[in-house]
Amino acid sequence: MEAIIPAKQYEMLELGFIGPEPAGSRVQVDLCGRFTRGERTWTVPGFYAGNGTYRLRFLPEEAGEYGLTVTGSILDAPQTAKVVSAAAAAGRHGPVRAEGTHLRHADGTWFHGFGTTVYAMAHQSRALMEETFQSLENGPFNKIRMCVFPKHYVYNTNNPEFYPFQVKEGREEKSFDAAGLPLFPIEQPERDSYWDVHMPSYDFWDAFEDKLRRMEKLNIQVDLILFHPYDRWGFANLTQEDNLVYLDYLLRRFSAFPHLWWSLANEYDLVAARSLADWHEIEEFVAAHDPYHHLLGNHQCFLIYDPSRKNITHMSWQTKQLFRVGEMQRKYGKPVLIDECRYEGNIPEFFGNLSGQDMTRSFWKVTTQGGYCTHGETYLPGTPEGDAATATGEQDVVWWARGGILHGQSPARIGFLRGIIESLPGPLEPLGAGMSGILGMTDEEIRRSAVDLPEYLAPMLRTICSMERAERDGFFAVEFEYNGHCGDDAFLRYLDDQCCALTRMNLPENHSYRVEVIDTWEMTRETVLENASGLTEVRLPGKPWMAVLAVRTD
Amino acid sequence: MEAIIPAKQYEMLELGFIGPEPAGSRVQVDLCGRFTRGERTWTVPGFYAGNGTYRLRFLPEEAGEYGLTVTGSILDAPQTAKVVSAAAAAGRHGPVRAEGTHLRHADGTWFHGFGTTVYAMAHQSRALMEETFQSLENGPFNKIRMCVFPKHYVYNTNNPEFYPFQVKEGREEKSFDAAGLPLFPIEQPERDSYWDVHMPSYDFWDAFEDKLRRMEKLNIQVDLILFHPYDRWGFANLTQEDNLVYLDYLLRRFSAFPHLWWSLANEYDLVAARSLADWHEIEEFVAAHDPYHHLLGNHQCFLIYDPSRKNITHMSWQTKQLFRVGEMQRKYGKPVLIDECRYEGNIPEFFGNLSGQDMTRSFWKVTTQGGYCTHGETYLPGTPEGDAATATGEQDVVWWARGGILHGQSPARIGFLRGIIESLPGPLEPLGAGMSGILGMTDEEIRRSAVDLPEYLAPMLRTICSMERAERDGFFAVEFEYNGHCGDDAFLRYLDDQCCALTRMNLPENHSYRVEVIDTWEMTRETVLENASGLTEVRLPGKPWMAVLAVRTD
């Protein structure tokens, strides 16, 4: 009689096995589950979890019955079972995947991403991590970027409680002191194989996994950063062979989590020990060993990692050039995530001293174009704002690196924006209005667009065409206006720094719209027109950071 | 016995002659003064001023004696005289000219330009013009951009009291009604020679000249715009032959004013009737017919008019790319004037709805790099802010076009900045600090700069070098930091949107500095350090729009 194993759609199923400690590698263990349903098959390797236990994890994406055969040297014989997956529980939507330039859960629910960044979240004291979870629970974010490895960087030099691997046999334990080290070792140090990647430290992985489970409970997608250069322990300098062993273990353990995304790296191009060929190999390895095809991106400092690569599902872009979201959507046909665009804070470093107003502006700029923006908070330790970042009494706590208490002014506004976006009938697409439409156009496209203009304006477009391309792009970049739409159903104009007393929108003639004026900073919405259509004048208070939303009512 | 004519250095000398009305052209009249002093000679043509009077104007730039011979068909015989020029009166510094990338009066006084824009200033009612002069007298500006011809544009459609030329004989007088016309006729209309450029309207020129004299009294340099496209009267569509006749008269009358600059056009590239060859001819004509070589620029909408041309003394640039001032200084070796970068106001048009804060930011960005910025104010008529633009009761008064009352928030801050800049020992040069230094560098320059860096940062520069040039320039444009210096005597850092609690300056080790923290919006200055040198930490309040000034005290 075959065992019947109950499961739930979009929730990880975990099966446990008892066996002997693996003799060699504790990563490359021989345990495999073969799940079948109709024509489809999922082959998922198990992993060793320490203490004589093996685990096999599976994420059922369909409700119904699956056949299962488990094989492996720890079993006397192959075992079979039937897995019966119940339909998804309320609020369970399945993994997020790319659909065109947007993000959508497996069940079809649009995912409107509003991210934050706590790189070394999982490597902090328990008290600090509790504080971080509390902040996330009360905050507006539904995505977090966090690293697997501990992080060594300014304001963030603490050793973690656990390391992911054991020290190689015969090697003496080092003490990793932050003092006197450069910001991070960009130069390529010797690869000395201090860590034994075949010997995972289960305390590390259990504790890390606990963080992932808690994020899942909070409905927060985790963009898991697999590598990064900010390192003094040697994790940025493993051999490539060791990298793949590390990934093998990670993918066996984590792939069945529904809410994980893979970020190959943070600032991959600053990891001096890795060549581009290494990154391609890493990318291929992750894609080949993840049976569920989670989102897969790679975040750069300077050199964009080619988003047109087959395995890359979206552009994970560090940039301050927020007007280029639409351009990149057109170029790659994939979702554009602005995964670093300066943070709210007051540190001396350029990347981390935006006002709450300016962090909020970034979200509106990106979101209006149908892109996805990522927040960070960086208040200087030792200032009143910096010291408000934790109640644990710990020093040097900066949200962007370590978590703690979110006390900036942008999160409330990001939540306000999220509410508006989630009320729309679908994701936004950029709408090239005014001069913004010209940005990124070829000469030929500009000439074609002249056809729609009053004849007396055509010479102006000819003049524009005669600008050098770089000058033209630079010109229109700083004239950019932020307009998005969901087909004819909704039009959103973000006026950014324009303190207009009046704006004019060209709404479709054949529909009626309710027009709201939105103060993105004061978080107010006021309906100012009903049944508007065609060319519509909207009075505004002459303040910065206003938006106008027109939603179809017929 | 030779007449002795008293004159004053840097002030216009005017000699009058009575004669018959010119028989043909009232522009190309035969009257010429030849002024000599040592090896130098100035040959200046006279002009007909109407009513049987001819005038000859001269600007003595040196104190002392000049020989003068006047010839012309209106004289029975050549007349000679001695001109004795007294030394410059207090406050008279002579014409402004370019020196390297800076502006300097003839007597060596640096000119720190803080401009405003009132395009159709001279074509308004007398009451409105009085109001404008009052505003200028109380304002912070020492340069104005204004047009010779009347202007037809949104918020600015009134006919002037006077036209510069008489209507051609045999032509019926037109009524120039603004109603129903497009914004301005970008298309090339028929050139119908309605105006007789050989027949100046003296009322026009007398009234215009009165405005110039009053600007001189207010110590305001006039960047006189000779052509522009915003026209319904036909001045943008004169034949090229007529253009040169118009210029001939203007240059005969105006060249001897010490405080005039020539701006060939506003948005020259939108004047559909003119080819680039036409503009070159106009440029040559102005340069050849101005004996004093006043500053000469040409302002564009899209296509930069090549500032490397020999006659062009400075770059008069419409741009919002304010981080590029230093780049253009390096490229052309000439002063860079940002003669349009969006205005303070609340109109729907993108160019005119900046907050006072953002207009102030533009001035700080440009000025810190040693460039020169130009203000405008554009509050929407019919709103409380717009209606505050005049007390005359006139409608549609917007400062940028017509003048009136300056009531924006930026002028006070621009005055505050002007006070700081004028207290420095000399003009500022841009200082490439941080990432800003990389903007505009070639690969080779970046590689050379790597030599100065700690060795572990060199790989980062190699990564930067491998970025595509357009991507790299775009990247560093939005990372730009505003730093200027006067040699080792003063260092000015404008932090713009960076809300730092702390900044670090690398002051020379071998000098001592007084360090002030400046709140550019609140207009406060606080000395926070004395005798600072070397790497200096400066505490800041974590607010936007702060600046730090270090002035050498040893």
Side-chain angles (χ1 to χ4, degrees):
Chain A
M1 198 185 102
E2 205 174 45
I4 293 183
I5 302 169
K8 287 183 186 159
Q9 191 185 12
Y10 302 141
E11 296 184 46
M12 183 202 288
L13 168 69
E14 180 172 281
L15 307 176
F17 301 84
I18 306 295
E21 187 107 296
S25 171
R26 295 188 186 172
V27 172
Q28 295 153 342
V29 298
D30 179 20
L31 176 66
C32 186
R34 197 160 161 277
F35 295 82
T36 54
R37 178 174 159 76
E39 301 292 296
R40 295 185 67 188
T41 299
W42 294 260
T43 303
V44 295
F47 66 95
Y48 183 62
N51 207 22
T53 63
Y54 292 77
R55 290 185 190 140
L56 191 60
R57 291 172 170 178
F58 179 61
L59 181 65
E61 290 207 55
E62 299 172 20
E65 292 186 13
Y66 295 76
L68 167 61
T69 307
V70 184
T71 56
S73 57
I74 62 160
L75 303 178
D76 297 333
Q79 298 182 6
T80 60
K82 186 187 283 180
V83 173
V84 179
S85 175
R92 293 277 183 180
H93 302 294
V96 174
R97 301 214 170 85
E99 182 170 309
T101 58
H102 293 288
L103 295 171
R104 201 162 200 177
H105 285 279
D107 76 347
T109 305
W110 293 109
F111 176 72
H112 301 289
F114 292 84
T116 189
T117 308
V118 190
Y119 287 126
M121 193 276 161
H123 303 292
Q124 306 307 319
S125 72
R126 289 162 197 227
L128 186 53
M129 288 192 285
E130 284 310 314
E131 211 172 51
T132 306
F133 279 117
Q134 194 63 49
S135 300
L136 289 170
E137 186 167 357
N138 300 327
F141 302 110
N142 56 11
K143 188 197 87 172
I144 191 169
R145 279 178 63 76
M146 55 185 271
C147 300
V148 177
F149 292 127
K151 180 172 173 238
H152 170 73
Y153 201 75
V154 61
Y155 317 122
N156 175 203
T157 57
N158 55 307
N159 285 322
E161 186 178 355
F162 305 115
Y163 293 101
F165 318 114
Q166 295 180 33
V167 175
K168 210 161 219 175
E169 208 170 346
R171 299 295 300 265
E172 204 175 326
E173 295 236 355
K174 285 182 192 171
S175 98
F176 292 106
D177 186 358
L181 290 176
L183 193 61
F184 59 97
I186 283 182
E187 85 275 33
Q188 184 163 343
E190 221 178 310
R191 298 194 190 138
D192 75 350
S193 297
Y194 174 78
W195 299 106
D196 188 347
V197 294
H198 290 281
M199 296 289 280
S201 295
Y202 307 108
D203 287 343
F204 173 96
W205 294 95
D206 291 346
F208 200 94
E209 203 163 276
D210 173 63
K211 308 302 161 288
L212 298 183
R213 289 183 197 277
R214 292 186 63 177
M215 294 295 179
E216 189 186 1
K217 281 215 184 75
L218 294 174
N219 266 317
I220 293 177
Q221 302 288 313
V222 177
D223 194 16
L224 192 64
I225 299 167
L226 304 175
F227 296 96
H228 62 256
Y230 333 107
D231 179 68
R232 71 169 180 273
W233 302 274
F235 301 119
N237 302 302
L238 300 175
T239 63
Q240 179 74 347
E241 193 187 338
D242 283 359
N243 283 333
L244 302 187
V245 175
Y246 145 69
L247 289 174
D248 193 0
Y249 191 71
L250 182 140
L251 291 162
R252 287 168 183 246
R253 265 193 95 130
F254 290 171
S255 290
F257 279 109
H259 65 307
L260 286 199
W261 310 2
W262 314 122
S263 180
L264 297 185
N266 213 65
E267 299 188 326
Y268 85 93
D269 50 335
L270 300 187
V271 183
R274 296 273 89 70
S275 69
L276 193 57
D278 289 341
W279 288 111
H280 291 170
E281 188 181 16
I282 287 170
E283 173 206 304
E284 290 291 345
F285 188 91
V286 173
H289 290 76
D290 162 16
Y292 312 103
H293 309 297
H294 290 286
L295 288 168
L296 176 57
N298 198 6
H299 167 278
Q300 102 298 355
C301 179
F302 298 109
L303 272 177
I304 293 170
Y305 189 81
D306 183 5
S308 68
R309 292 179 62 79
K310 185 176 64 64
N311 295 317
I312 297 296
T313 56
H314 62 283
M315 184 176 198
S316 172
W317 193 16
Q318 171 171 189
T319 192
K320 290 102 196 165
Q321 300 176 71
L322 304 181
F323 52 90
R324 295 181 68 189
V325 169
E327 173 195 338
M328 291 302 185
Q329 290 169 334
R330 283 194 302 277
K331 183 166 179 183
Y332 298 115
K334 296 182 180 179
V336 175
L337 283 81
I338 304 297
D339 278 329
E340 197 175 327
C341 58
R342 299 177 75 184
Y343 304 126
E344 177 175 358
N346 65 358
I347 58 175
E349 289 80 7
F350 188 81
F351 70 81
N353 52 34
L354 281 189
S355 64
Q357 286 88 343
D358 283 342
M359 181 87 256
T360 304
R361 286 170 71 191
S362 298
F363 268 79
W364 275 88
K365 289 179 186 181
V366 172
T367 305
T368 310
Q369 296 172 81
Y372 305 93
C373 195
T374 305
H375 158 274
E377 190 169 302
T378 45
Y379 282 102
L380 187 67
T383 65
E385 298 87 350
D387 292 342
T390 183
T392 61
E394 291 180 57
Q395 301 299 303
D396 275 351
V397 172
V398 178
W399 171 269
W400 133 95
R402 302 180 60 197
I405 296 170
L406 269 174
H407 60 94
Q409 296 192 284
S410 63
R413 278 80 188 181
I414 294 166
F416 174 72
L417 170 59
R418 183 178 164 187
I420 292 170
I421 297 300
E422 290 182 342
S423 77
L424 298 180
L428 288 166
E429 304 282 345
L431 181 70
M435 292 295 193
S436 304
I438 293 174
L439 187 74
M441 276 190 191
T442 63
D443 290 3
E444 181 49 34
E445 285 167 337
I446 293 177
R447 258 179 243 113
R448 271 203 307 269
S449 78
V451 174
D452 299 331
L453 284 179
E455 200 180 340
Y456 74 93
L457 283 175
M460 189 186 275
L461 287 190
R462 280 197 295 274
T463 304
I464 291 170
C465 282
S466 60
M467 297 172 86
E468 278 177 43
R469 183 64 192 254
E471 282 298 330
R472 191 168 80 206
D473 286 347
F475 185 101
F476 290 106
V478 289
E479 299 247 351
F480 199 82
E481 300 186 75
Y482 295 89
N483 290 280
H485 70 124
C486 313
D488 274 359
D489 294 331
F491 293 85
L492 181 60
R493 168 173 296 174
Y494 175 54
L495 287 156
D496 193 34
D497 60 2
Q498 296 189 67
C499 304
C500 307
L502 175 72
T503 193
R504 297 184 185 95
M505 292 180 94
N506 263 312
L507 298 172
E509 301 275 1
N510 54 337
H511 295 299
S512 302
Y513 294 85
R514 179 173 54 244
V515 178
E516 277 181 87
V517 169
I518 297 169
D519 186 325
T520 69
W521 183 249
E522 298 295 342
M523 297 183 280
T524 60
R525 303 173 65 163
E526 188 193 351
T527 298
V528 294
L529 293 170
E530 299 275 6
N531 299 316
S533 80
L535 182 63
T536 300
E537 293 213 330
V538 183
R539 306 301 299 197
L540 290 162
K543 294 166 61 180
W545 317 320
M546 303 301 294
V548 181
L549 173 64
V551 176
R552 191 178 147 189
T553 47
D554 62 356
Chain B
M1 197 187 100
E2 202 173 46
I4 292 182
I5 302 171
K8 286 181 186 160
Q9 190 183 13
Y10 304 140
E11 297 183 45
M12 183 204 286
L13 169 69
E14 180 173 282
L15 306 176
F17 301 84
I18 306 295
E21 187 107 298
S25 172
R26 293 186 186 174
V27 172
Q28 294 152 343
V29 298
D30 179 19
L31 178 67
C32 184
R34 197 160 163 278
F35 295 82
T36 55
R37 177 174 160 76
E39 301 293 295
R40 297 186 67 187
T41 298
W42 293 260
T43 303
V44 295
F47 67 96
Y48 183 64
N51 207 20
T53 62
Y54 292 77
R55 289 185 190 139
L56 191 61
R57 290 171 170 179
F58 179 61
L59 181 65
E61 289 207 58
E62 299 172 19
E65 292 186 12
Y66 295 75
L68 168 61
T69 306
V70 184
T71 56
S73 57
I74 62 160
L75 304 178
D76 297 334
Q79 296 180 8
T80 62
K82 184 185 284 180
V83 172
V84 179
S85 173
R92 294 277 183 179
H93 302 295
V96 173
R97 302 211 170 87
E99 183 170 309
T101 58
H102 293 289
L103 295 170
R104 201 164 200 175
H105 285 280
D107 75 347
T109 305
W110 293 110
F111 177 71
H112 301 288
F114 292 84
T116 189
T117 308
V118 192
Y119 288 127
M121 193 274 161
H123 303 292
Q124 306 308 319
S125 73
R126 288 161 197 227
L128 186 54
M129 289 192 284
E130 283 311 314
E131 211 172 50
T132 306
F133 278 117
Q134 195 64 48
S135 301
L136 289 169
E137 186 167 358
N138 300 328
F141 301 111
N142 58 12
K143 188 197 89 173
I144 192 169
R145 280 178 63 75
M146 53 186 272
C147 300
V148 177
F149 292 126
K151 180 173 173 242
H152 170 73
Y153 201 73
V154 60
Y155 317 121
N156 175 204
T157 58
N158 56 308
N159 284 324
E161 185 178 356
F162 305 116
Y163 293 100
F165 317 115
Q166 294 180 33
V167 175
K168 211 160 217 176
E169 208 167 347
R171 297 297 298 266
E172 203 174 326
E173 295 236 355
K174 286 183 191 170
S175 99
F176 291 105
D177 185 356
L181 290 176
L183 194 61
F184 59 97
I186 282 181
E187 85 277 32
Q188 184 163 343
E190 221 180 309
R191 298 194 191 138
D192 76 348
S193 297
Y194 175 80
W195 300 107
D196 187 345
V197 295
H198 289 282
M199 297 289 280
S201 296
Y202 306 108
D203 286 342
F204 174 95
W205 293 94
D206 291 345
F208 200 94
E209 203 163 277
D210 173 64
K211 308 304 163 284
L212 298 183
R213 288 183 198 276
R214 292 185 65 177
M215 294 296 179
E216 189 185 3
K217 281 214 184 77
L218 294 175
N219 267 318
I220 293 177
Q221 302 288 313
V222 177
D223 194 16
L224 192 64
I225 298 167
L226 303 175
F227 296 96
H228 62 257
Y230 333 106
D231 179 68
R232 71 169 180 272
W233 302 274
F235 302 119
N237 302 302
L238 301 175
T239 64
Q240 178 74 345
E241 192 187 341
D242 282 357
N243 283 333
L244 302 186
V245 175
Y246 146 69
L247 289 174
D248 192 0
Y249 190 72
L250 183 142
L251 290 162
R252 286 167 184 247
R253 263 191 98 131
F254 290 170
S255 289
F257 278 108
H259 65 307
L260 287 200
W261 311 3
W262 314 123
S263 181
L264 297 185
N266 214 65
E267 299 188 325
Y268 85 92
D269 51 335
L270 299 188
V271 183
R274 296 274 88 70
S275 69
L276 194 57
D278 289 341
W279 289 112
H280 291 169
E281 188 181 18
I282 287 170
E283 174 205 305
E284 289 292 345
F285 188 91
V286 173
H289 289 77
D290 162 16
Y292 311 103
H293 309 298
H294 289 286
L295 288 169
L296 176 57
N298 198 4
H299 168 278
Q300 101 297 357
C301 179
F302 299 109
L303 271 177
I304 293 170
Y305 190 81
D306 183 5
S308 69
R309 292 179 61 79
K310 186 176 64 63
N311 296 317
I312 296 296
T313 56
H314 62 283
M315 184 175 196
S316 173
W317 192 16
Q318 171 171 190
T319 191
K320 290 102 195 165
Q321 301 176 72
L322 304 182
F323 53 89
R324 295 182 68 189
V325 168
E327 174 196 337
M328 291 302 184
Q329 289 169 335
R330 283 194 303 278
K331 182 165 180 183
Y332 299 114
K334 296 182 180 178
V336 176
L337 283 81
I338 304 296
D339 279 329
E340 199 174 329
C341 58
R342 299 178 74 184
Y343 304 126
E344 178 176 355
N346 65 357
I347 58 175
E349 290 80 7
F350 188 81
F351 70 81
N353 50 34
L354 281 188
S355 65
Q357 286 87 342
D358 283 342
M359 180 88 255
T360 304
R361 287 171 71 190
S362 297
F363 268 79
W364 275 88
K365 289 179 186 181
V366 172
T367 305
T368 310
Q369 296 172 80
Y372 305 93
C373 196
T374 304
H375 157 274
E377 191 169 300
T378 45
Y379 282 102
L380 186 67
T383 66
E385 300 86 352
D387 293 342
T390 184
T392 61
E394 293 180 55
Q395 301 299 305
D396 275 350
V397 173
V398 179
W399 171 269
W400 133 96
R402 301 180 60 195
I405 297 170
L406 269 174
H407 61 95
Q409 296 191 285
S410 63
R413 278 78 188 183
I414 294 167
F416 174 72
L417 170 60
R418 182 176 165 187
I420 292 169
I421 297 300
E422 291 184 341
S423 76
L424 298 180
L428 289 166
E429 304 281 345
L431 181 70
M435 292 295 194
S436 305
I438 293 173
L439 187 73
M441 276 190 190
T442 62
D443 290 1
E444 181 51 34
E445 284 167 337
I446 293 176
R447 258 180 241 110
R448 272 204 306 270
S449 79
V451 174
D452 299 332
L453 284 179
E455 199 180 337
Y456 74 94
L457 283 175
M460 189 188 277
L461 287 190
R462 280 197 296 273
T463 303
I464 290 170
C465 282
S466 60
M467 297 172 86
E468 278 177 43
R469 184 62 192 256
E471 281 298 330
R472 191 167 81 207
D473 287 347
F475 184 101
F476 290 107
V478 289
E479 299 248 348
F480 199 82
E481 301 187 75
Y482 295 89
N483 290 279
H485 69 123
C486 313
D488 274 359
D489 293 331
F491 294 84
L492 181 61
R493 169 173 296 173
Y494 175 53
L495 287 155
D496 193 34
D497 60 1
Q498 297 189 67
C499 303
C500 307
L502 175 73
T503 193
R504 297 184 185 94
M505 294 181 92
N506 262 313
L507 299 171
E509 301 274 1
N510 54 336
H511 293 300
S512 302
Y513 294 85
R514 180 175 50 245
V515 178
E516 277 180 88
V517 169
I518 298 169
D519 186 326
T520 70
W521 182 248
E522 299 295 340
M523 297 184 280
T524 60
R525 304 172 64 161
E526 189 192 353
T527 298
V528 294
L529 292 169
E530 299 274 5
N531 300 315
S533 80
L535 182 63
T536 301
E537 293 212 331
V538 183
R539 306 302 298 198
L540 291 161
K543 294 167 59 181
W545 318 320
M546 302 301 294
V548 182
L549 173 64
V551 176
R552 191 178 147 190
T553 48
D554 61 356

